[in-house]
Amino acid sequence: MSAGVPRIALRGDLLDFTAAPAWGDTESAAPRYRADHWLLIEQGRIAGVRSDPPDASWEQHDHRGRLVLPGFIDTHVHSPQIDVIASYGSELLDWLTDHTFPAEARHADAEHAQAGAVYFLDALVGHGTTSAVVFPTVHKGSVDALFAAAETRGMRLIAGKVLMDRHAPPELLDDVDSAEREMEELIGRWHGRGRLAYAVTVRFAPTSTPAQLALAGRLCRADPSLYLQTHLAENRAEVRWVHELFPQARSYLDVYAEAGLLHRRSVFAHGIWLDDADRAAIAAAGAQIAHSPSSNLFLGSGLFGWRAAEAAGIRVSLASDVGGGTSLCLLRNMADAYKIQALAGERLTAWKALHAATRGAAEALGLEAEIGSFETGTIADVCVWDVAVGAVARRRAEVARTLHERIFAWMMLGDERNLAAAYIAGRRHVDRPAA
Ligand SMILES: [Zn+2]
């Protein structure tokens, strides 16, 4: 132990996953629940778990009666869109024009971008999310600001400059040459630095020319350690537009596949309007879908077929998609995910939802050695949650008969007000008094 770095022991009800729970199985053995245990953190990493208190050389944080989970991983969220969260009255394409693009244009200003990045990351952690895959804006400065703010906080962050060279306001457009120069510069500066990684970031097929999509594909092929993030088959009008713009493509996904953007490190937001061939192709590539339930409901985009995706072998993670989504808190998004599955005649267990936001997302990103569980040696990104806030939730928790029932009620009724503490690499970032 180096001087000044405390050894910390967190006491609480520890919950993480050792495997992927099966669909619909409330009795699954995949969750690992250790009531009233101590989570040991040394040098910012998980050093072990024990049932009895460690000696006095450990700084003890007593969260007795609270749930202690790995920090959530939000696999799709837009940092500049905090300002337009909960904007009234549009579907995807109007929403971009009316709300999103004006908010993103303001990030051309470096000071605005820096203040926005700080505000966004603090808000994210304050909602129980310690790692994220993020869209900043088309402006290079917005990417620098976001990575710098994440580095200051020691966060795992994946992001990249948004590519858009058509069908957006002129102040938000780049071109192939400037995009290539700026991406090379940003990748050189940030990719693989500490806990940061670069994602080639195509907004979506309609806002990039075929030449720009080809550039994105070339970059991915040249360096397979780069991520790729984009939107896919979110809304029916969008899907029709893609068919008009790319008449030769078999499907929306095929536009990305042809450009070399369908691979193991691809993160596709939404993926609602897919067919069996698309699902098979995503699964074969090992790519993931970032399911964004609150956004899908808010923008009226559609009901994601989680079970079909899983049956096809696709990795599914969870995302807030703020500002299309209405909460940065993944608990709120899990509650919406449950309701979407209910409308589709399916039942989403708390285990499935929590796994998708922790170990499942980490595995989908290839980061399971770093985040998503309490395995020894992983980085100590940890959130501590009150099981119940308010009289109704407290009553519900008291009468719960099984572990799944108790955790499910927390998932459905909880939000960021339940967050008691958040640790990033063992450093406390949020600390609230008991509810
Ligand atoms: Zn989005």
Side-chain angles (χ1 to χ4, degrees):
M1 188 180 84
S2 64
V5 181
R7 302 205 296 171
I8 301 169
L10 304 186
R11 183 179 190 175
D13 298 336
L14 312 186
L15 176 61
D16 70 338
F17 290 84
T18 57
W23 189 268
D25 184 7
T26 58
E27 307 293 313
S28 171
R32 174 166 55 180
Y33 181 70
R34 290 172 282 193
D36 197 16
H37 272 58
W38 296 84
L39 181 68
L40 306 181
I41 299 170
E42 198 167 8
Q43 304 277 18
R45 291 180 184 269
I46 305 293
V49 169
R50 53 192 290 166
S51 56
D52 52 331
D55 66 45
S57 70
W58 296 80
E59 182 181 305
Q60 300 193 353
H61 296 200
D62 192 348
H63 295 294
R64 226 173 306 178
R66 286 169 162 165
L67 288 169
V68 179
L69 279 88
F72 290 145
I73 303 161
D74 186 339
T75 53
H76 178 70
V77 58
H78 299 257
S79 54
Q81 292 183 18
I82 288 279
D83 291 354
V84 296
I85 190 171
S87 292
Y88 174 78
S90 23
E91 284 198 0
L92 173 66
L93 299 177
D94 295 334
W95 188 81
L96 286 173
T97 306
D98 296 346
H99 303 298
T100 303
F101 289 156
E104 295 191 7
R106 291 194 283 277
H107 285 250
D109 176 69
E111 248 174 67
H112 183 82
Q114 274 165 22
V118 166
Y119 181 80
F120 168 75
L121 290 181
D122 286 343
L124 207 60
V125 178
H127 285 71
T129 293
T130 51
S131 298
V133 185
V134 186
F135 274 61
T137 68
V138 70
H139 313 100
K140 189 175 68 175
S142 79
V143 188
D144 283 322
L146 189 65
F147 275 133
E151 186 172 57
T152 302
R153 285 157 185 73
M155 288 179 75
R156 160 53 67 177
L157 193 98
I158 298 166
K161 174 199 132 56
V162 177
L163 296 171
M164 281 200 282
D165 66 348
R166 64 171 173 174
H167 298 141
E171 64 272 23
L172 284 176
L173 291 180
D174 56 8
D175 57 58
V176 172
D177 290 341
S178 70
E180 183 166 18
R181 273 197 315 277
E182 292 186 352
M183 281 194 288
E184 280 173 358
E185 189 186 322
L186 289 164
I187 290 165
R189 187 147 59 238
W190 298 109
H191 185 55
R193 173 162 151 180
R195 303 187 73 190
L196 310 175
Y198 194 87
V200 174
T201 303
V202 174
R203 166 158 240 124
F204 67 151
T207 46
S208 284
T209 58
Q212 193 173 57
L213 293 174
L215 164 67
R218 277 201 304 279
L219 281 175
C220 290
R221 271 192 297 275
D223 183 352
S225 71
L226 292 170
Y227 289 90
L228 176 281
Q229 59 175 342
T230 191
H231 297 85
L232 169 67
E234 174 176 1
N235 160 294
R236 277 174 287 193
E238 170 213 12
V239 173
R240 278 195 299 275
W241 192 21
V242 170
H243 283 304
E244 286 163 24
L245 292 170
F246 300 91
Q248 77 291 356
R250 193 202 69 80
S251 69
Y252 191 159
L253 178 73
D254 196 39
V255 174
Y256 295 141
E258 284 296 311
L261 301 175
L262 170 59
H263 54 73
R264 173 66 181 86
R265 291 193 160 215
S266 300
V267 182
F268 295 112
H270 307 297
I272 296 170
W273 304 99
L274 302 175
D275 62 19
D276 287 345
D278 292 330
R279 279 188 281 266
I282 294 172
Q288 71 179 292
I289 290 179
H291 174 35
S292 309
S294 299
S295 169
N296 296 164
L297 292 173
F298 183 69
L299 295 176
S301 300
L303 306 178
F304 173 63
W306 192 329
R307 193 167 187 182
E310 174 160 307
I314 295 175
R315 304 163 196 270
V316 177
S317 54
L318 264 175
S320 70
D321 192 26
V322 161
T326 46
S327 175
L328 284 174
C329 187
L330 287 184
L331 286 178
R332 293 278 296 270
N333 279 275
M334 290 175 206
D336 281 342
Y338 178 84
K339 294 169 193 171
I340 286 173
Q341 295 312 309
L343 281 168
E346 294 287 349
R347 291 289 175 264
L348 179 69
T349 66
W351 304 141
K352 196 88 214 163
L354 288 166
H355 175 263
T358 55
R359 189 176 193 125
E363 288 174 350
L365 293 167
L367 294 173
E368 66 274 16
E370 177 188 323
I371 52 175
S373 76
F374 293 147
E375 299 294 345
T376 299
T378 60
I379 295 187
D381 294 346
V382 180
C383 285
V384 182
W385 300 87
D386 286 312
V387 176
V389 170
V392 171
R394 273 200 292 276
R395 172 69 183 157
R396 186 65 189 87
E398 278 164 19
V399 300
R401 293 155 301 175
T402 66
L403 179 63
H404 184 267
E405 192 178 336
R406 182 159 168 269
I407 299 296
F408 181 76
W410 165 66
M411 181 185 101
M412 293 304 295
L413 302 175
D415 59 28
E416 67 276 14
R417 286 165 290 192
N418 293 61
L419 185 71
Y423 300 79
I424 296 172
R427 268 174 56 207
R428 187 146 58 178
H429 284 254
V430 175
D431 188 12
R432 296 202 183 114

